[in-house]
Amino acid sequence: MTLVPHKKAKALKPSSRRPAKELCSECGLCDTYYIHYVKEACAFINQQIPELETQTHGRSRDLENEDDLYFGVSQDMMAARKTEPIPGAQWTGIVSTIAIEMLTRGMVEGVVCVQNTEEDRFQPKPIIATTPEEILAARVNKPTLSPNLSVLEQIEQSGMKRLLVIGVGCQIQALRAVEKKLGLEKLYVLGTPCTDNVTRAGLQKFLDTTSRSPETVVYYEFMQDFQVHFKHEDGSTELVPFFGLKTNELKDVFAPSCLSCFDYVNSLADLVVGYMGAPFGWQWIVVRNDRGQEMLDLVQDQIETQPVMSKGDRRQAVQQSIPAYDKAVTLPMWAAKLMGVVIEKIGPKGLEYARFSIDSHFTRNYLYVKRNHPEKLEQHVPDYAKRIVEQYKLPD
Ligand code: FAD
Ligand code: SF4
């Protein structure tokens, strides 16, 4: 790949320019002069996960190995939770804790993370945090597309040489593609899995359609018990079964970028912290390389861990959900609740739940790309995702 020095790209900066057009996930790269690299770097223009895996981890995933196929390159995987959770964190706050340790021990000079604006708890405000307080203020998901990479120019201007970036897959793919241009001596990447993200307007529609009190929702998560958990300002939790979601109204809510994403598990981060491969209440940790292990080691005395487990068989449930989603079938609430209870008892658990979620999203997204961007299908869908999708019978 031939790259021209990025400083020459200043003139190309109009922030409204988004070469990925409707597939843009607002990752922020195009708000900076690194827009010059967008054709190579953008996750939605140039899918290059295997190449960047090799650059980052020293190898790409082995498609014959089931863990690699589904969860990407890894050297360790476990379930974990903080013995003293951080109040107000998305789960137990492992992400914020690692970031604070890295900063206070001097491993990094700054942390790219995302706070919210003063007016709106769900409006993302990416920052380079230089104090533990600023990192803590970024805890909890902003479940909206967030331009985290918009701060990349400030890194170079600040003269920082050691940096931690926290982000989701599309942000991290673009970051890895321009990593060598940032002038850093050391870059650590702490990733979270990510799926079904929305614009701020889309989020409002989701909350209005799904929650009993949209204006008091503090955070929500699609949990392993097949229910959406909404936490409200008064501390109460509202549960809505997946199968009761108003699919017909919500089908268009998810951002087109997320409907065409095949990097659910954040393949290019050094360390991934999510929940979907862990038992309910626990976080799921994937250590991809030695840098990731170095980061996790910092918090070993603040977490309890257990080995990952896997139970059940997802395949039939995934196959049945494909036409149901396609036809936007919505069950009456009593049936949705009943189905939720049954599937919670006999359904997939642990890593099998993670595979259930990956299969469901990859089949849906494959159909989306095939129908809406057929010319992109071959290059955009990575081989591992093709192999996963091939297990199922898809409608045309
Ligand atoms: P905290 O300590 O609360 O820290 C959260 C961190 O997330 C903060 O540092 C903040 O900078 C960062 N962040 C917040 N919003 C965004 C954003 N929009 N873009 C980038 N970074 C952000 N895990 C799964 O297993 N399956 C999923 O489907 C899944 N979907 C997710 C969707 C989104 C949009 C996000 C941001 C995360 C998702 N996760 C998912 C990860 C999971 O919800 C938790 O974020 C993760 O387990 C860390 O929890 P924590 O308590 O350690 O994080
Ligand atoms: Fe630019 Fe990022 Fe949008 Fe791609 S996803 S067009 S790199 S802002």
Side-chain angles (χ1 to χ4, degrees):
M1 137 168 75
T2 323
L3 295 173
V4 186
H6 61 249
K7 289 207 171 25
K8 292 190 184 161
K10 282 255 181 203
L12 290 170
K13 200 188 161 182
S15 60
S16 59
R17 206 175 135 188
R18 298 286 186 268
K21 302 197 178 85
E22 73 274 19
L23 292 184
C24 171
S25 70
E26 302 290 340
C27 78
L29 187 86
C30 293
D31 297 332
T32 71
Y33 46 60
Y34 297 97
I35 188 179
H36 190 70
Y37 301 122
V38 64
K39 293 252 162 73
E40 292 87 17
C42 176
F44 303 96
I45 298 176
N46 181 31
Q47 184 279 118
Q48 50 175 337
I49 291 173
E51 293 79 1
L52 292 175
E53 279 177 334
T54 306
Q55 173 189 302
T56 308
H57 313 306
R59 69 173 182 91
S60 65
R61 31 182 120 189
D62 171 3
L63 302 193
E64 302 308 321
N65 173 317
E66 165 114 334
D67 278 352
D68 264 30
L69 179 69
Y70 272 85
F71 310 127
V73 173
S74 72
Q75 56 188 48
D76 202 3
M77 231 191 270
M78 73 208 68
R81 62 183 178 197
K82 281 204 73 191
T83 42
E84 287 178 34
I86 296 182
Q90 184 71 14
W91 282 74
T92 69
I94 292 178
V95 166
S96 299
T97 306
I98 291 174
I100 289 171
E101 289 295 332
M102 291 182 74
L103 189 69
T104 51
R105 294 182 194 212
M107 274 170 73
V108 293
E109 296 152 290
V111 177
V112 174
C113 52
V114 51
Q115 299 180 344
N116 55 279
T117 62
E118 263 171 42
E119 313 76 55
D120 180 354
R121 66 165 65 100
F122 291 130
Q123 187 69 51
K125 189 175 89 178
I127 60 152
I128 306 175
T130 53
T131 65
E133 292 74 27
E134 286 172 337
I135 295 171
L136 266 186
R139 73 194 184 284
V140 80
N141 292 359
K142 271 47 83 178
T144 41
L145 301 177
S146 174
N148 282 22
L149 300 187
S150 60
V151 298
L152 281 190
E153 278 181 22
Q154 293 170 36
I155 293 163
E156 203 180 6
Q157 285 152 10
S158 71
M160 280 181 195
K161 294 289 170 206
R162 282 168 287 117
L163 188 75
L164 167 67
V165 175
I166 300 171
V168 297
C170 53
Q171 298 159 358
I172 302 308
Q173 185 176 318
L175 175 73
R176 288 298 191 196
V178 299
E179 176 177 350
K180 296 206 171 77
K181 320 288 165 202
L182 300 177
L184 293 169
E185 282 162 13
K186 191 98 189 195
L187 171 68
Y188 293 90
V189 178
L190 178 44
T192 65
C194 180
T195 188
D196 293 347
N197 216 336
V198 288
T199 60
R200 185 61 187 85
L203 175 65
Q204 204 53 47
K205 185 171 176 193
F206 172 69
L207 294 175
D208 290 345
T209 325
T210 314
S211 170
R212 62 170 151 78
S213 170
E215 61 291 343
T216 60
V217 172
V218 186
Y219 73 71
Y220 70 85
E221 191 84 83
F222 286 72
M223 295 267 200
Q224 301 102 316
D225 61 353
F226 297 85
Q227 303 187 82
V228 189
H229 290 223
F230 291 100
K231 188 84 181 267
H232 289 277
E233 276 168 356
D234 63 2
S236 64
T237 303
E238 175 188 5
L239 305 178
V240 178
F242 288 1
F243 308 101
L245 292 177
K246 299 183 180 118
T247 317
N248 48 349
E249 290 179 55
L250 292 174
K251 259 190 122 174
D252 303 328
V253 158
F254 303 125
S257 53
C258 306
L259 291 170
S260 53
C261 168
F262 296 91
D263 192 22
Y264 195 170
V265 297
N266 212 324
S267 315
L268 302 167
D270 299 316
L271 180 70
V272 178
V273 181
Y275 65 88
M276 63 185 182
F280 186 71
W282 291 71
Q283 294 187 256
W284 176 50
I285 313 273
V286 184
V287 181
R288 298 210 182 283
N289 56 37
D290 292 346
R291 282 182 305 279
Q293 187 61 52
E294 209 186 322
M295 291 152 78
L296 185 61
D297 285 345
L298 299 172
V299 299
Q300 293 291 4
D301 59 345
Q302 300 182 54
I303 58 175
E304 52 182 324
T305 62
Q306 60 167 302
V308 279
M309 50 74 79
S310 186
K311 218 167 99 188
D313 186 349
R314 73 201 179 274
R315 289 190 187 84
Q316 217 184 342
V318 174
Q319 185 63 66
Q320 281 166 0
S321 71
I322 296 170
Y325 180 86
D326 212 36
K327 294 189 194 115
V329 175
T330 302
L331 294 177
M333 195 45 87
W334 66 266
K337 283 193 173 145
L338 185 66
M339 191 156 162
V341 170
V342 173
I343 206 154
E344 222 271 295
K345 287 231 154 35
I346 60 163
K349 300 252 173 1
L351 291 181
E352 187 67 0
Y353 176 86
R355 286 186 280 263
F356 164 83
S357 196
I358 291 170
D359 286 357
S360 307
H361 286 93
F362 280 14
T363 48
R364 179 196 70 182
N365 292 6
Y366 186 88
L367 278 174
Y368 179 86
V369 176
K370 188 174 160 201
R371 288 169 180 169
N372 296 283
H373 302 277
E375 74 294 346
K376 287 182 78 71
L377 196 67
E378 184 50 34
Q379 200 280 331
H380 182 67
V381 184
D383 286 346
Y384 63 82
K386 286 184 185 135
R387 180 122 12 144
I388 288 170
V389 170
E390 273 163 15
Q391 300 172 100
Y392 298 98
K393 196 168 170 311
L394 301 188
D396 289 331

